[in-house]
């Protein structure tokens, strides 16, 4: 697989996108960001992309009463796909995109989808074999943390280390084949914000490496 045209989906600040754009500008990365889509109009990542002249789209998921939520979500995913497919892309990067994409979306998407996750995740085969943890450099086992609040959870569980992972997205949330992972120590006095910022420093480096490898 080559990843020369990358579609980025994000919901927030986009500091990882910034690292990718910087690497693209310096020639470190052969691939290029072809478009950026957000489900949030106020995502700062959109402003970063616009600053580079990259096409951007805001595709909101409309609120719906419970009985209509599934249909609204399916319609939103179809809109997302039609926006994506108006461009040429060979990789979709979820970079702080705070929505789960359905199996139907993943099956219809023209390109592989990868995700940045701010915790250590094992390979799916290890998880399935009961090894749902990642060994650390200190010989400890860090349990796989999945979902949207994993930085806080790492602190709440009193772990000595956490980290970040880039993995392929499959219908099983936060459990796809791993492309790269990096360990980040948890230090005394860490808050969710300080720990997440340190994780993001590792993530920015790692996503550029992964994209360079795929390109
Ligand atoms: C990263 O920690 C990523 O792992 C998570 O969302 C964060 C995005 O950060 N899914 P930013 O918007 O790139 O600063």
């Amino acid at each position: 697989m080559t990843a020369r045209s990358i579609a980025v989906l994000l919901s927030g600040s986009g500091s990882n996108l910034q690292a990718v754009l910087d690497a693209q500008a310096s020639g470190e990365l052969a691939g290029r960001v072809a478009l950026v889509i957000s489900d949030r109009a106020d995502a700062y990542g959109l402003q970063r992309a616009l600053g580079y002249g990259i096409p951007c789209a805001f595709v909101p998921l409309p609120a719906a009463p419970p009985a209509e939520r599934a249909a609204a979500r399916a319609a939103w995913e179809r809109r997302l796909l039609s926006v994506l497919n108006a461009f040429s892309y060979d990789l979709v990067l979820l970079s702080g995109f705070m929505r789960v994409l359905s199996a139907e979306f993943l099956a219809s998407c023209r390109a592989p989808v990868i995700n940045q996750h701010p915790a250590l995740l094992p390979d799916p085969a290890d998880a399935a074999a009961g090894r749902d943890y990642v060994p650390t450099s200190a010989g400890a086992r860090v349990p796989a943390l999945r979902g949207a609040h994993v930085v806080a959870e790492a602190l709440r569980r009193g772990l000595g280390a956490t980290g970040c992972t880039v993995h392929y997205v499959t219908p099983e949330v936060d459990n796809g084949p791993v492309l790269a992972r990096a360990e980040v120590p948890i230090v005394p006095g860490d808050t969710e914000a300080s720990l997440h910022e340190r994780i993001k420093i590792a993530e920015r480096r790692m996503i550029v490496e992964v994209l360079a490898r795929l390109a």
Side-chain angles (χ1 to χ4, degrees):
M1 187 200 82
T2 54
R4 299 216 166 251
S5 285
I6 306 155
V8 177
L9 272 56
L10 53 76
S11 304
S13 117
S15 69
N16 281 278
L17 170 70
Q18 186 68 55
V20 173
L21 295 174
D22 291 347
Q24 184 183 314
S26 71
E28 193 186 335
L29 198 60
R32 70 182 178 96
V33 177
L35 79 149
V36 174
I37 302 179
S38 181
D39 60 323
R40 294 189 54 121
D42 61 354
Y44 186 61
L46 291 175
Q47 301 305 320
R48 297 183 195 266
L50 288 170
Y52 277 72
I54 293 167
C56 286
F58 164 47
V59 185
L61 171 61
E68 290 160 31
R69 220 161 269 165
R73 204 158 225 296
W76 170 73
E77 286 194 339
R78 283 195 297 275
R79 277 197 301 281
L80 208 53
L81 265 181
S82 62
V83 173
L84 272 171
N85 291 344
F87 293 81
S88 151
Y89 61 97
D90 47 28
L91 184 76
V92 177
L93 166 63
L94 307 185
S95 189
F97 188 59
M98 302 308 285
R99 304 279 177 192
V100 172
L101 296 169
S102 70
E104 292 73 25
F105 177 95
L106 295 171
S108 319
C109 192
R110 282 184 193 158
V113 182
I114 67 172
N115 180 50
Q116 293 186 259
H117 184 71
L120 292 170
L121 292 172
D123 287 300
D126 284 330
R131 293 184 296 277
D132 202 19
Y133 55 79
V134 175
T136 68
S137 51
R141 289 176 176 183
V142 173
L145 302 179
R146 299 186 174 87
H149 307 287
V150 293
V151 179
E153 200 183 334
L155 284 172
R156 195 177 50 73
R157 291 205 195 186
L159 303 177
T162 180
C164 51
T165 306
V166 178
H167 63 93
Y168 285 105
V169 176
T170 59
E172 216 179 316
V173 176
D174 297 335
N175 198 19
V178 170
L179 281 156
R181 64 170 84 82
E183 187 181 321
V184 175
I186 298 179
V187 299
D190 253 339
T191 61
E192 183 179 355
S194 69
L195 178 56
H196 200 173
E197 190 43 46
R198 260 199 342 283
I199 293 171
K200 284 203 208 181
I201 292 170
E203 289 192 285
R204 291 175 199 131
R205 236 186 343 255
M206 198 165 76
I207 192 60
V208 170
E209 279 165 20
V210 167
L211 293 177
R213 205 194 317 150
L214 294 178

